[in-house]
């Protein structure tokens, strides 16, 4: 296909109004310049019902989407025995921007009051006879946004059933033909292609593992420096939205309470590493930091055996967003 091909010239000859009972149906007679330069007279019926907007509401936490189910007479007249059609929320623009229109339609039809939408495109849906351009949107929703039952406006004779469906079930309904509405299929395929419903990263319980005594020759100042480094890393883990823990936070108070009198004595040895191993049963991940440490390497080995996540760099932790207070 040559995208730079010369665009044909068109001259409107006559427009005959056939109906304006609901929207405007016209017979348009026009002259069309063919590729060889010859002019040809043609006639087409053109139905102008204005432009519209549609939206897919999705919830990543619940893994659900909100659709509607309503009677559509044209489908009833063309092979749909019940006339009912499952669709994304949609409506015509009413002297509004597409964004304002879809916010209004969403509230009227689904009962959800959303504050922001993302436009993903626009398309002619039936260009052989209908002028309408449909604007496509997606938006996240949650239960707190529900302000009513939805169902549409009584004065517009809308009788809309609101459906909250598992996302995977909706995709399967496209596959098996239970969802046959083009705009809804496009919205669901967009969600699938762009991983819209990929579950948000959860807050992880992360064991920060690094050298404590290693490389210090049991010098208290160097041990304190190692602890300060791991505490600093732990704070960054916390600020990334996760819950950090150091084995030392548990072990050292226990060791002192148990009566240990020196680094490496029997009581110290009985609690220090074994408590960290036990702690791994309550963690999701290990973040290995700092220099050489047989103990930290042991934490990594055991974590891998338990199927836990292991990170070598702080920046590899999944971003939860916000701060730990929102995690």
């Amino acid at each position: 296909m040559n995208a730079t091909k010369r665009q044909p010239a068109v001259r409107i000859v006559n427009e005959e109004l056939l109906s304006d009972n609901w929207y405007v149906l016209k017979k348009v007679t026009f002259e069309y310049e063919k590729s060889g330069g010859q002019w040809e007279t043609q006639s087409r019926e053109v139905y102008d019902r204005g432009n519209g907007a549609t939206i897919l509401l999705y919830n990543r936490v619940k893994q659900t989407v909100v659709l509607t189910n309503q009677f559509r007479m044209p489908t009833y007249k063309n092979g749909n025995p019940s006339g009912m059609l499952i669709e994304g929320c949609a409506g015509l623009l009413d002297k509004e921007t597409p964004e304002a229109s879809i916010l209004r339609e969403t509230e009227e039809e689904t009962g959800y009051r959303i504050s922001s939408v993302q436009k993903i495109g626009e398309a002619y849906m039936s260009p052989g006879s209908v002028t309408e351009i449909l604007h496509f949107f997606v938006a996240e929703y949650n239960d707190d946004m529900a302000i009513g039952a939805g169902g549409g406006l009584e004065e517009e004779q809308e009788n809309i059933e609101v459906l909250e469906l598992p996302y995977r079930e909706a995709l399967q309904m496209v596959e098996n033909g239970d969802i046959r509405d083009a705009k809804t299929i496009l919205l669901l395929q967009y969600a699938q292609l762009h991983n819209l419903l990929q579950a948000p990263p959860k807050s992880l319980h992360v064991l920060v593992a690094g050298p404590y005594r290693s490389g210090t020759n049991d010098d208290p100042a160097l041990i304190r420096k190692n602890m300060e480094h791991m505490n600093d890393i732990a704070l960054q883990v916390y600020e990334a939205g996760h819950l950090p823990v150091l084995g030392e936070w548990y072990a050292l108070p226990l060791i002192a309470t148990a009566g240990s009198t020196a680094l490496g004595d029997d009581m110290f040895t009985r609690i220090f590493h074994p408590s960290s191993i036990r702690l791994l049963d309550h963690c999701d991940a290990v973040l290995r930091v700092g220099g050489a440490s047989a103990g930290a390497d042991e934490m990594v080995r055991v974590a891998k055996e338990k199927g836990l996540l292991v990170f070598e760099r702080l920046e590899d932790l999944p971003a939860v967003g916000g701060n730990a207070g929102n995690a």
Side-chain angles (χ1 to χ4, degrees):
M1 177 180 176
N2 184 1
T4 61
K5 183 179 178 181
R6 181 182 65 86
Q7 299 300 309
V10 176
R11 295 194 293 246
I12 302 295
V13 175
N14 185 55
E15 295 187 10
E16 179 186 353
L17 180 64
L18 302 180
S19 173
D20 61 356
N21 183 48
W22 192 250
Y23 298 110
V24 178
L25 177 63
K26 290 181 178 181
K27 179 181 178 181
V28 179
T29 302
F30 60 98
E31 294 178 340
Y32 177 88
E33 185 182 14
K34 300 171 68 174
S35 58
Q38 307 94 335
W39 287 85
E40 182 178 73
T41 300
Q42 301 182 8
S43 293
R44 296 289 186 273
E45 289 188 359
V46 177
Y47 191 48
D48 186 352
R49 60 193 300 269
N51 295 325
T54 186
I55 190 167
L56 179 68
L57 299 180
Y58 65 95
N59 185 305
R60 291 192 298 165
V61 175
K62 297 167 63 176
Q63 289 291 291
T64 53
V65 295
V66 171
L67 301 176
T68 65
N69 191 27
Q70 60 183 308
F71 180 78
R72 294 297 199 184
M73 174 55 76
T75 74
Y76 181 76
K77 294 288 290 180
N78 189 26
N80 182 2
S82 70
M84 300 299 291
L85 204 64
I86 297 174
E87 310 175 39
C89 168
L92 295 177
L93 310 188
D94 186 16
K95 298 180 181 179
E96 314 166 284
T97 65
E99 289 79 6
S101 175
I102 202 58
L103 289 172
R104 173 182 53 78
E105 289 287 350
T106 299
E107 185 172 324
E108 292 174 0
E109 292 194 2
T110 72
Y112 288 95
R113 178 174 291 169
I114 55 177
S115 58
S116 62
V117 296
Q118 175 190 351
K119 185 173 181 179
I120 60 172
E122 56 188 62
Y124 292 100
M125 297 303 292
S126 187
S129 57
V130 181
T131 62
E132 179 185 21
I133 294 175
L134 192 62
H135 301 262
F136 288 79
F137 296 90
V138 295
E140 289 197 67
Y141 78 96
N142 59 54
D143 293 341
D144 293 338
M145 295 177 180
I147 63 166
L153 299 178
E154 185 175 348
E155 60 266 29
E156 294 184 4
Q157 297 182 310
E158 293 179 321
N159 185 20
I160 298 171
E161 178 187 5
V162 182
L163 304 177
E164 184 177 46
L165 299 175
Y167 169 56
R168 292 297 169 189
E169 181 180 334
L171 292 178
Q172 186 58 46
M173 292 171 75
V174 173
E175 291 293 325
N176 63 28
D178 288 335
I179 292 179
R180 302 174 65 187
D181 174 64
K183 64 181 178 294
T184 308
I185 294 171
L186 289 173
L187 285 168
L188 288 168
Q189 289 180 339
Y190 178 90
Q192 188 174 27
L193 286 170
H194 294 269
N195 296 315
L196 282 191
L197 277 88
Q198 182 174 333
K202 72 167 188 172
S203 180
L204 302 174
H205 195 200
V206 181
L207 175 68
V208 179
Y212 176 68
R213 296 171 63 195
S214 300
T216 68
N217 199 29
D218 287 345
D219 181 335
L222 295 179
I223 290 175
R224 184 167 58 253
K225 185 176 180 180
N226 281 343
M227 279 297 298
E228 289 173 352
H229 176 65
M230 287 191 288
N231 284 334
D232 180 64
I233 295 294
L235 177 59
Q236 295 178 68
V237 170
Y238 182 83
E239 290 175 339
H242 303 287
L243 183 64
V245 64
L246 271 62
E248 290 80 0
W249 293 352
Y250 284 92
L252 295 178
L254 291 173
I255 289 168
T257 301
S260 173
T261 58
L263 287 172
D265 65 12
D266 288 343
M267 192 59 66
F268 183 97
T269 302
R270 185 165 73 87
I271 294 176
F272 190 74
H273 282 298
S275 66
S276 293
I277 295 293
R278 190 178 300 179
L279 180 58
L280 284 174
D281 287 332
H282 304 277
C283 292
D284 302 302
V286 169
L287 174 61
R288 177 67 167 90
V289 300
S293 169
D297 290 340
E298 176 73 0
M299 295 300 104
V300 169
R301 183 188 68 78
V302 175
K304 289 180 178 178
E305 289 179 355
K306 292 179 178 291
L308 305 183
L309 299 169
V310 175
F311 300 100
E312 301 289 341
R313 303 183 308 166
L314 178 66
E315 53 266 35
D316 290 336
L317 284 170
V320 175
N323 53 42
N326 297 324

